Amino acid sequence: MNVISGPVLLSPLRIRGLSIALFTVISAALWIGFSADTYFASDGSFYFAIILDNATFTHVSPSRAHAEYLTQWPLVLAVRSGVTDLNALEIFFGLGVWCPWILSFAISLYATRERPALIFFFLISMVSLNLSSWCLIYGEHLTLLLLVWPIFYFGIMRRRLTFLEQLLTALLLVAHLKLYETALVSGVIFTFIFAFRSWLEKNPRERWGSGVLAGLALASVVIAVTWILFPRDLENRGHFLGAIVASLAHPYPWIGLSYVTLNMVGIMFSSSRLRLAAWIVPLVIGGISLLSPGIMGGISFSTRTLTLTALPLLMLITFLFSLSRLKLTKDLAISVSLIVVGLSLLYVRHLQSWVTFKGEFQGILKEEKGFVDPADHGDIDHWGWTNPLLSYVWAEGQVKSVILNRNFEDGYEPFDPFTEMVMEKYLDEKPSFLREKEEE
C-alpha cells in the first residue's frame, strides 16, 4: 500500500524560533556594516558631529522628530552622561540606529503569535528594503519602514484587541505621527483599517479604542500632508520624485518583491512555473549584483522612496496571506530563509566599496598634513560635502589633516573647515593649521 504524504508543516514554536534566528542574521549583517562605520555614510557623520557638539538631538525636521528620538537617544544619553571615548560613542550611535529594528521585531513577534508565519513578510521587508539603504542606514525613513509592521499586524488581527494591545498600538501610532513625510501612505492605510474595525465592532471598548487609533492614524496623514505641501526644503521634494525612478536600479527590492509576489500568486493558482520563477528571478538578480563591489550611494539614497512604493505592495500581499488558509510548509520556510540569508550576505558583499573608500581616506589622513585638496588624490569623495566631517570622525581624536570637498570654493559646506572645527571637546590633538576667522 502506497502512502502519499502531504507537505511538512512547521509548528508555531519552530516558526518563531526560525524567525528569531533570521533576525539575528540580519542584525549581524547590520553590525558588520557598523564595524565599517556605515552610519557615517552620507549625512551620518554630520548627525554624529551635531550630537557630540550640542549634546542634543539633530532636529533636522519637525516632521521626522520621533524618528530622531528613537534612533539618537543612546548617543544623546551617552554624551550627556559624560562619555568622551570616541569608540564608545560610535557604539552608542550604532545602538541607536539598531534600536527600532529590535523593538519593531519584538513587538511584531508578539503581534503575530497566533499566525506566526506573518512575521516572515517583515523579515523580507527588512532585508530587501531596509538593508538597501546602506549609505542612509541612520535614515528616518527606515524607522518608518520598521514601525509600520507591528501597527499593521495589530490592525489585521482577526479578533478583538486586548487593552494592552490597544495601548501598545496607540503608542506606536503616536510615534508614527512624525517619522517621515511618506507616513502619508501608511497613515491612510491605518486610518481605513482601524475605522473599519471600529465600524464592525459592537464591543464598546473595541469600538471606541479602534476609533481613537483611527484618529491617531488620520493625524499622521494631516501632519505628512502639511510637510509635503510646505517642505523645509523645496529642492528635497523635487529630488524625492526623481529618486522614485532611481530606486528602480537597486537589486534588493526586486529580489524581495519578486520572490514574495511570484510565490504568492503561484500558490494561489497552484502554478509550479510561477513558484519556480520565484526562485529563478531572485537568483538571477542576486547573481548579477554579486559581481559588483557595492551599490552606488545615489541609488542607495533613493530607496527612501520605497516607503511610498514597495512597502504598500508588501503590506497588501501580507494582508491577502492573512485572509487565506495558507500554511507555512518546511519547503517554503527554507526558501524564505535562503532569501533572508542571501540578501544579508549580499549586503555584506556590497560593503566592499565603502570599506575600500574608508581605507583610502584614512590613509590620506595619516600621510598628509594640513588642508588636503581631494584633486591630489583622485578627487576622493563619497557624498560631495562630508570630506571635512569624515576627516574629524576618522582622525581617532588626532586631527592632523582635513580633506576638503571637491567644490570647497563654491559648494555647500556644513561648517567652514578653514576656520572652524567640530567635535572639539573630543579631540586629543586639535588642528593647529586653522586660519583666523575674519571679522565682518
Side-chain angles (χ1 to χ4, degrees):
M1 179 179 179
N2 294 326
V3 178
I4 301 176
S5 58
V8 179
L9 302 178
L10 294 184
S11 68
L13 184 62
R14 287 191 174 184
I15 293 174
R16 290 162 71 81
L18 178 59
S19 65
I20 293 172
L22 292 177
F23 176 74
T24 302
V25 171
I26 296 171
S27 296
L30 187 67
W31 278 93
I32 288 173
F34 288 167
S35 70
D37 297 345
T38 48
Y39 38 62
F40 286 155
S42 60
D43 301 3
S45 54
F46 191 31
Y47 279 28
F48 186 73
I50 290 175
I51 296 172
L52 264 59
D53 284 339
N54 301 294
T56 188
F57 299 93
T58 52
H59 301 301
V60 171
S61 173
S63 61
R64 306 175 188 180
H66 295 172
E68 293 174 4
Y69 299 152
L70 286 168
T71 56
Q72 297 172 13
W73 69 266
L75 181 57
V76 172
L77 183 61
V79 171
R80 290 184 178 180
S81 300
V83 178
T84 57
D85 182 79
L86 287 173
N87 290 325
L89 291 171
E90 285 188 33
I91 293 174
F92 282 111
F93 194 32
L95 185 63
V97 173
W98 185 58
C99 182
W101 294 62
I102 191 169
L103 176 68
S104 298
F105 175 74
I107 298 175
S108 295
L109 200 62
Y110 169 78
T112 57
R113 64 195 184 281
E114 294 164 16
R115 192 75 186 276
L118 291 174
I119 195 70
F120 289 108
F121 290 96
F122 183 21
L123 293 172
I124 290 174
S125 177
M126 278 186 180
V127 290
S128 60
L129 306 187
N130 288 68
L131 287 186
S132 66
S133 297
W134 73 267
C135 83
L136 199 62
I137 208 67
Y138 61 86
E140 297 88 355
H141 73 291
L142 294 187
T143 306
L144 174 63
L145 281 171
L146 294 164
L147 290 189
V148 157
W149 285 97
I151 299 172
F152 181 63
Y153 287 139
F154 282 128
I156 62 175
M157 269 191 180
R158 301 177 70 177
R159 62 163 174 80
R160 291 171 183 163
L161 299 179
T162 66
F163 177 74
L164 175 62
E165 290 167 343
Q166 285 182 324
L167 179 61
L168 194 53
T169 307
L171 292 174
L172 290 168
L173 282 168
V174 168
H176 181 265
L177 289 172
K178 294 183 178 183
L179 292 180
Y180 198 69
E181 289 83 346
T182 50
L184 165 66
V185 177
S186 52
V188 168
I189 294 172
F190 295 148
T191 300
F192 277 105
I193 288 176
F194 290 109
F196 182 73
R197 290 184 70 99
S198 180
W199 173 76
L200 198 64
E201 265 295 338
K202 296 181 179 179
N203 179 275
R205 180 185 58 77
E206 174 74 11
R207 184 171 66 251
W208 289 105
S210 294
V212 170
L213 298 178
L216 286 171
L218 183 59
S220 69
V221 174
V222 173
I223 292 172
V225 169
T226 300
W227 284 98
I228 290 172
L229 294 177
F230 307 100
R232 64 182 181 85
D233 186 345
L234 285 173
E235 287 188 5
N236 279 350
R237 183 165 61 188
H239 292 162
F240 188 91
L241 295 175
I244 293 177
V245 177
S247 66
L248 297 176
H250 203 300
Y252 296 7
W254 286 110
I255 291 174
L257 287 174
S258 64
Y259 171 79
V260 171
T261 305
L262 291 171
N263 245 319
M264 189 67 181
V265 177
I267 292 172
M268 290 175 61
F269 292 95
S270 301
S271 171
S272 58
R273 290 184 178 180
L274 286 175
R275 296 194 64 182
L276 180 61
W279 276 94
I280 295 175
V281 173
L283 188 62
V284 170
I285 297 173
I288 294 173
S289 62
L290 188 63
L291 301 176
S292 171
I295 304 295
M296 292 178 61
I299 293 176
S300 176
F301 188 70
S302 71
T303 56
R304 66 196 192 280
T305 63
L306 295 175
T307 53
L308 190 66
T309 55
L311 178 63
L313 178 58
L314 270 179
M315 293 170 68
L316 174 62
I317 296 173
T318 305
F319 178 66
L320 294 176
F321 184 88
S322 71
L323 294 178
S324 72
R325 296 182 179 180
L326 298 175
K327 302 293 183 181
L328 186 70
T329 64
K330 184 178 179 180
D331 290 343
L332 195 55
I334 291 173
S335 67
V336 170
S337 300
L338 290 175
I339 288 291
V340 171
V341 173
L343 271 169
S344 299
L345 293 175
L346 196 60
Y347 170 79
V348 174
R349 153 63 177 160
H350 285 152
L351 294 176
Q352 181 183 335
S353 59
W354 169 255
V355 172
T356 300
F357 166 77
K358 178 187 174 184
E360 292 175 354
F361 199 99
Q362 289 182 312
I364 297 171
L365 293 179
K366 292 177 181 178
E367 295 171 2
E368 299 279 7
K369 303 292 182 184
F371 296 111
V372 181
D373 189 335
D376 296 334
H377 297 275
D379 271 341
I380 189 167
D381 170 76
H382 157 66
W383 201 238
W385 54 266
T386 59
N387 277 359
L389 288 162
L390 291 173
S391 299
Y392 279 86
V393 299
W394 278 340
E396 299 177 348
Q398 298 182 349
V399 182
K400 300 176 181 179
S401 57
V402 171
I403 302 176
L404 301 172
N405 294 318
R406 285 187 296 184
N407 300 316
F408 60 86
E409 293 182 351
D410 54 7
Y412 170 70
E413 298 286 345
F415 73 104
D416 185 350
F418 295 104
T419 62
E420 300 173 352
M421 70 178 78
V422 295
M423 299 164 46
E424 183 175 358
K425 294 181 293 185
Y426 303 88
L427 302 179
D428 298 322
E429 182 178 337
K430 299 176 183 178
S432 58
F433 47 86
L434 296 186
R435 304 169 186 170
E436 291 290 333
K437 204 166 188 178
E438 295 181 4
E439 296 287 341
E440 293 186 2

PDB file of all heavy atoms in Angstrom, residues 13 94 98 102 106 129 142 162 180 219 243 276 332 336 340 373 401:
ATOM      1  N   LEU A  13       6.025  27.088  17.295  1.00  0.00           N
ATOM      2  CA  LEU A  13       7.252  27.280  18.067  1.00  0.00           C
ATOM      3  C   LEU A  13       8.476  27.293  17.154  1.00  0.00           C
ATOM      4  O   LEU A  13       9.387  28.120  17.317  1.00  0.00           O
ATOM      5  CB  LEU A  13       7.387  26.183  19.124  1.00  0.00           C
ATOM      6  CG  LEU A  13       8.583  26.315  20.080  1.00  0.00           C
ATOM      7  CD1 LEU A  13       8.463  27.608  20.873  1.00  0.00           C
ATOM      8  CD2 LEU A  13       8.654  25.107  21.018  1.00  0.00           C
ATOM      9  N   GLY A  94      25.587  53.445  16.784  1.00  0.00           N
ATOM     10  CA  GLY A  94      25.083  52.249  16.117  1.00  0.00           C
ATOM     11  C   GLY A  94      23.947  51.605  16.883  1.00  0.00           C
ATOM     12  O   GLY A  94      22.966  51.127  16.292  1.00  0.00           O
ATOM     13  N   TRP A  98      20.118  50.698  15.593  1.00  0.00           N
ATOM     14  CA  TRP A  98      19.585  49.331  15.669  1.00  0.00           C
ATOM     15  C   TRP A  98      18.347  49.242  16.555  1.00  0.00           C
ATOM     16  O   TRP A  98      17.534  48.324  16.400  1.00  0.00           O
ATOM     17  CB  TRP A  98      20.687  48.409  16.200  1.00  0.00           C
ATOM     18  CG  TRP A  98      20.348  46.957  16.231  1.00  0.00           C
ATOM     19  CD1 TRP A  98      19.965  46.168  15.184  1.00  0.00           C
ATOM     20  CD2 TRP A  98      20.379  46.082  17.375  1.00  0.00           C
ATOM     21  NE1 TRP A  98      19.763  44.861  15.592  1.00  0.00           N
ATOM     22  CE2 TRP A  98      20.011  44.797  16.937  1.00  0.00           C
ATOM     23  CE3 TRP A  98      20.684  46.277  18.718  1.00  0.00           C
ATOM     24  CZ2 TRP A  98      19.942  43.698  17.804  1.00  0.00           C
ATOM     25  CZ3 TRP A  98      20.618  45.194  19.582  1.00  0.00           C
ATOM     26  CH2 TRP A  98      20.249  43.931  19.121  1.00  0.00           C
ATOM     27  N   ILE A 102      15.177  46.128  16.558  1.00  0.00           N
ATOM     28  CA  ILE A 102      14.862  45.089  17.541  1.00  0.00           C
ATOM     29  C   ILE A 102      13.532  45.362  18.234  1.00  0.00           C
ATOM     30  O   ILE A 102      12.773  44.438  18.550  1.00  0.00           O
ATOM     31  CB  ILE A 102      16.008  44.932  18.572  1.00  0.00           C
ATOM     32  CG1 ILE A 102      15.791  43.679  19.414  1.00  0.00           C
ATOM     33  CG2 ILE A 102      16.163  46.169  19.445  1.00  0.00           C
ATOM     34  CD1 ILE A 102      16.989  43.299  20.259  1.00  0.00           C
ATOM     35  N   ALA A 106      10.512  42.656  18.011  1.00  0.00           N
ATOM     36  CA  ALA A 106       9.990  42.062  19.245  1.00  0.00           C
ATOM     37  C   ALA A 106       8.479  42.253  19.347  1.00  0.00           C
ATOM     38  O   ALA A 106       7.743  41.305  19.686  1.00  0.00           O
ATOM     39  CB  ALA A 106      10.684  42.682  20.454  1.00  0.00           C
ATOM     40  N   LEU A 129      14.243  46.028   1.779  1.00  0.00           N
ATOM     41  CA  LEU A 129      14.005  47.464   1.797  1.00  0.00           C
ATOM     42  C   LEU A 129      14.963  48.192   2.737  1.00  0.00           C
ATOM     43  O   LEU A 129      15.638  49.140   2.340  1.00  0.00           O
ATOM     44  CB  LEU A 129      12.552  47.764   2.190  1.00  0.00           C
ATOM     45  CG  LEU A 129      11.454  47.070   1.373  1.00  0.00           C
ATOM     46  CD1 LEU A 129      10.078  47.600   1.759  1.00  0.00           C
ATOM     47  CD2 LEU A 129      11.690  47.237  -0.115  1.00  0.00           C
ATOM     48  N   LEU A 142      13.843  54.667   7.450  1.00  0.00           N
ATOM     49  CA  LEU A 142      14.000  53.274   7.873  1.00  0.00           C
ATOM     50  C   LEU A 142      13.200  53.002   9.140  1.00  0.00           C
ATOM     51  O   LEU A 142      12.673  51.904   9.333  1.00  0.00           O
ATOM     52  CB  LEU A 142      15.479  52.957   8.114  1.00  0.00           C
ATOM     53  CG  LEU A 142      16.388  52.982   6.888  1.00  0.00           C
ATOM     54  CD1 LEU A 142      17.784  52.495   7.240  1.00  0.00           C
ATOM     55  CD2 LEU A 142      15.811  52.129   5.770  1.00  0.00           C
ATOM     56  N   THR A 162      -6.790  43.199  22.926  1.00  0.00           N
ATOM     57  CA  THR A 162      -6.837  43.390  24.370  1.00  0.00           C
ATOM     58  C   THR A 162      -6.519  44.856  24.673  1.00  0.00           C
ATOM     59  O   THR A 162      -6.027  45.597  23.810  1.00  0.00           O
ATOM     60  CB  THR A 162      -5.830  42.484  25.095  1.00  0.00           C
ATOM     61  OG1 THR A 162      -4.491  42.900  24.735  1.00  0.00           O
ATOM     62  CG2 THR A 162      -6.040  41.019  24.708  1.00  0.00           C
ATOM     63  N   TYR A 180       8.355  60.283   9.056  1.00  0.00           N
ATOM     64  CA  TYR A 180       8.832  60.650   7.727  1.00  0.00           C
ATOM     65  C   TYR A 180       7.620  61.098   6.926  1.00  0.00           C
ATOM     66  O   TYR A 180       6.485  60.659   7.196  1.00  0.00           O
ATOM     67  CB  TYR A 180       9.511  59.442   7.062  1.00  0.00           C
ATOM     68  CG  TYR A 180      10.403  59.784   5.896  1.00  0.00           C
ATOM     69  CD1 TYR A 180      11.595  60.472   6.085  1.00  0.00           C
ATOM     70  CD2 TYR A 180      10.064  59.423   4.602  1.00  0.00           C
ATOM     71  CE1 TYR A 180      12.430  60.790   5.025  1.00  0.00           C
ATOM     72  CE2 TYR A 180      10.889  59.719   3.528  1.00  0.00           C
ATOM     73  CZ  TYR A 180      12.073  60.411   3.747  1.00  0.00           C
ATOM     74  OH  TYR A 180      12.902  60.725   2.678  1.00  0.00           O
ATOM     75  N   ALA A 219      -4.319  61.666  12.006  1.00  0.00           N
ATOM     76  CA  ALA A 219      -3.473  62.800  12.390  1.00  0.00           C
ATOM     77  C   ALA A 219      -2.118  62.718  11.697  1.00  0.00           C
ATOM     78  O   ALA A 219      -1.552  63.745  11.286  1.00  0.00           O
ATOM     79  CB  ALA A 219      -3.291  62.825  13.905  1.00  0.00           C
ATOM     80  N   ALA A 243      13.979  60.392  -7.249  1.00  0.00           N
ATOM     81  CA  ALA A 243      14.516  59.210  -6.581  1.00  0.00           C
ATOM     82  C   ALA A 243      13.625  57.985  -6.775  1.00  0.00           C
ATOM     83  O   ALA A 243      14.102  56.848  -6.696  1.00  0.00           O
ATOM     84  CB  ALA A 243      14.693  59.489  -5.090  1.00  0.00           C
ATOM     85  N   LEU A 276       8.510  28.275  -9.428  1.00  0.00           N
ATOM     86  CA  LEU A 276       9.883  28.082  -9.886  1.00  0.00           C
ATOM     87  C   LEU A 276      10.517  29.438 -10.223  1.00  0.00           C
ATOM     88  O   LEU A 276      11.692  29.689  -9.909  1.00  0.00           O
ATOM     89  CB  LEU A 276       9.908  27.168 -11.119  1.00  0.00           C
ATOM     90  CG  LEU A 276      11.294  26.879 -11.725  1.00  0.00           C
ATOM     91  CD1 LEU A 276      12.183  26.169 -10.709  1.00  0.00           C
ATOM     92  CD2 LEU A 276      11.156  26.037 -12.997  1.00  0.00           C
ATOM     93  N   LEU A 332       8.765  25.990   2.046  1.00  0.00           N
ATOM     94  CA  LEU A 332       8.603  27.436   1.937  1.00  0.00           C
ATOM     95  C   LEU A 332       9.459  28.152   2.990  1.00  0.00           C
ATOM     96  O   LEU A 332      10.052  29.196   2.718  1.00  0.00           O
ATOM     97  CB  LEU A 332       7.132  27.819   2.105  1.00  0.00           C
ATOM     98  CG  LEU A 332       6.731  29.238   1.671  1.00  0.00           C
ATOM     99  CD1 LEU A 332       7.133  29.488   0.223  1.00  0.00           C
ATOM    100  CD2 LEU A 332       5.235  29.444   1.863  1.00  0.00           C
ATOM    101  N   VAL A 336      12.326  30.935   2.202  1.00  0.00           N
ATOM    102  CA  VAL A 336      12.324  32.253   2.837  1.00  0.00           C
ATOM    103  C   VAL A 336      13.660  32.493   3.536  1.00  0.00           C
ATOM    104  O   VAL A 336      14.256  33.569   3.447  1.00  0.00           O
ATOM    105  CB  VAL A 336      11.166  32.381   3.844  1.00  0.00           C
ATOM    106  CG1 VAL A 336      11.320  33.653   4.675  1.00  0.00           C
ATOM    107  CG2 VAL A 336       9.827  32.397   3.133  1.00  0.00           C
ATOM    108  N   VAL A 340      16.417  35.528   2.938  1.00  0.00           N
ATOM    109  CA  VAL A 340      16.863  36.422   4.011  1.00  0.00           C
ATOM    110  C   VAL A 340      18.372  36.334   4.211  1.00  0.00           C
ATOM    111  O   VAL A 340      19.075  37.357   4.274  1.00  0.00           O
ATOM    112  CB  VAL A 340      16.124  36.103   5.325  1.00  0.00           C
ATOM    113  CG1 VAL A 340      16.728  36.878   6.491  1.00  0.00           C
ATOM    114  CG2 VAL A 340      14.637  36.416   5.200  1.00  0.00           C
ATOM    115  N   ASP A 373      43.742  68.974  -0.733  1.00  0.00           N
ATOM    116  CA  ASP A 373      42.881  69.110  -1.906  1.00  0.00           C
ATOM    117  C   ASP A 373      42.574  67.704  -2.431  1.00  0.00           C
ATOM    118  O   ASP A 373      43.504  66.954  -2.762  1.00  0.00           O
ATOM    119  CB  ASP A 373      43.596  69.930  -2.982  1.00  0.00           C
ATOM    120  CG  ASP A 373      42.669  70.298  -4.146  1.00  0.00           C
ATOM    121  OD1 ASP A 373      41.684  69.572  -4.372  1.00  0.00           O
ATOM    122  OD2 ASP A 373      42.945  71.304  -4.819  1.00  0.00           O
ATOM    123  N   SER A 401      45.152  66.507   9.615  1.00  0.00           N
ATOM    124  CA  SER A 401      44.849  66.966   8.259  1.00  0.00           C
ATOM    125  C   SER A 401      43.340  66.962   8.052  1.00  0.00           C
ATOM    126  O   SER A 401      42.613  66.221   8.722  1.00  0.00           O
ATOM    127  CB  SER A 401      45.517  66.063   7.211  1.00  0.00           C
ATOM    128  OG  SER A 401      45.100  64.720   7.378  1.00  0.00           O
TER     129      SER A 401
END
